Amino acid sequence: MNLGLKDKTALVIGASRGLGAAIALGLAAEGATVFAAARSVEKIEAWANALPQGSGIVLPNSLDLGNLKSVDHLADRLLAKGGVDIVINNTGGPPPASAVEASRADWLIQFEMMAANLFHLTGRLLPPMRARRWGRIITLASSGVEQPIPRLALSNGIRSAIVGWSKTLADEVAADGITVNVLLPGRIHTQRVDELDASAAKRFDRNLADVAAASAASIPLGRYGRPEEFADVAVFLASERASYITGSKIRVDGGAIRAI
């Protein structure tokens, strides 16, 4: 299937590892030019150097979502190049905390990094998409927005706000040929999931392997997802073939969310 991505440019945030790196790799494999952004440019360079011949171009960029100057600096660089066609909004997860434990400062710091600065960057990159009458904005949230995850109150709450923003934006830019969607990953086997399993094992004084096995057993498919499985969905949504999908939340969770 020709996804029509060979002449497209994409910004992938949080591209140093995990889901962001997998999506960046997937877009590059389809021939897109990918601006891969994260705090650790060295990690991006490491996987970009291993791309097979014939892939698109990967351009590592520095970005600290917790620093507004860094966000604007990246936006300035991209706009000077004509902007991008595709934005993959992907932020790291906040530290585990219950709703009772999370402080006001925790909420403000994490909201700025995970939501406010993300909204700001997306807004700055919209005008060239609107002028070309084509664009894709895909934001990674979490299955926790539909089925709250214990001890991830910051993630559950902030990512729910992101879903509301995404749906509102989808309605506003649909007539400009821009689609806006949210992906909800479940337990995809990344370093982030390993870190959460390790935190749970420490909290309950259990063996890490047992914690991971119990978590996998709770998923109808009986296993964690692979990053490339998740990335395939994101790449399709970014393509010409997904032109009639917008304003949607799409689960990639192996059936873990039980509600219809």
Side-chain angles (χ1 to χ4, degrees), residues 83-135:
V84 294
D85 302 301
I86 301 158
V87 176
I88 307 292
N89 285 322
N90 172 45
T91 67
S98 68
V100 173
E101 293 169 343
S103 69
R104 179 178 183 276
D106 291 333
W107 284 107
L108 291 175
I109 291 168
Q110 296 301 324
F111 187 86
E112 180 177 27
M113 181 170 60
M114 294 174 61
N117 286 348
L118 207 67
F119 302 163
H120 173 69
L121 178 58
T122 302
R124 290 207 57 194
L125 297 176
L126 271 173
M129 293 186 197
R130 301 184 93 163
R132 289 190 287 265
R133 301 192 65 77
W134 198 97

Side-chain angles (χ1 to χ4, degrees), residues 9-257:
T9 57
L11 167 65
V12 180
I13 297 170
S16 61
R17 68 175 194 170
L19 299 181
I23 294 169
L25 279 164
L27 290 168
E30 291 294 325
T33 296
V34 180
F35 296 92
R39 284 177 294 184
S40 178
V41 172
E42 295 78 11
K43 290 182 180 179
I44 297 173
E45 291 171 342
W47 64 252
N49 289 335
L51 282 170
Q53 285 189 338
S55 296
I57 299 169
V58 174
L59 302 170
N61 283 262
S62 176
L63 173 65
D64 180 358
L65 273 174
N67 184 321
L68 184 57
K69 288 184 179 179
S70 175
V71 173
D72 276 326
H73 186 54
L74 177 61
D76 290 341
R77 291 202 306 272
L78 295 177
L79 290 171
K81 297 175 183 291
V84 294
D85 302 301
I86 301 158
V87 176
I88 307 292
N89 285 322
N90 172 45
T91 67
S98 68
V100 173
E101 293 169 343
S103 69
R104 179 178 183 276
D106 291 333
W107 284 107
L108 291 175
I109 291 168
Q110 296 301 324
F111 187 86
E112 180 177 27
M113 181 170 60
M114 294 174 61
N117 286 348
L118 207 67
F119 302 163
H120 173 69
L121 178 58
T122 302
R124 290 207 57 194
L125 297 176
L126 271 173
M129 293 186 197
R130 301 184 93 163
R132 289 190 287 265
R133 301 192 65 77
W134 198 97
R136 302 285 186 264
I137 298 168
I138 301 165
T139 302
L140 277 59
S142 165
S143 59
V145 305
E146 292 197 349
Q147 187 169 293
I149 302 169
R151 290 195 57 77
L152 288 185
L154 292 165
S155 176
N156 297 337
I158 295 170
R159 295 193 198 280
S160 293
I162 291 170
V163 169
W165 163 81
S166 181
K167 179 62 174 174
T168 305
L169 181 62
D171 292 346
E172 294 175 358
V173 299
D176 297 315
I178 300 169
T179 66
V180 186
N181 292 290
V182 174
L183 282 175
L184 305 182
R187 302 291 279 186
I188 310 296
H189 198 184
T190 62
Q191 288 172 273
R192 165 70 171 169
V193 167
D194 285 342
E195 290 162 1
L196 291 173
D197 283 346
S199 175
K202 182 178 180 180
R203 189 167 70 255
F204 296 113
D205 192 24
R206 293 181 60 193
N207 180 275
L208 175 58
D210 291 340
V211 169
S215 179
S218 71
I219 300 167
L221 281 180
R223 63 175 176 87
Y224 288 172
R226 297 187 298 273
E228 57 269 25
E229 291 177 305
F230 182 88
D232 285 344
V233 181
V235 172
F236 175 74
L237 282 178
S239 75
E240 292 276 7
R241 300 289 182 136
S243 58
Y244 204 60
I245 303 172
T246 195
S248 296
K249 292 183 297 183
I250 298 171
R251 304 171 182 172
V252 187
D253 68 348
I257 295 175

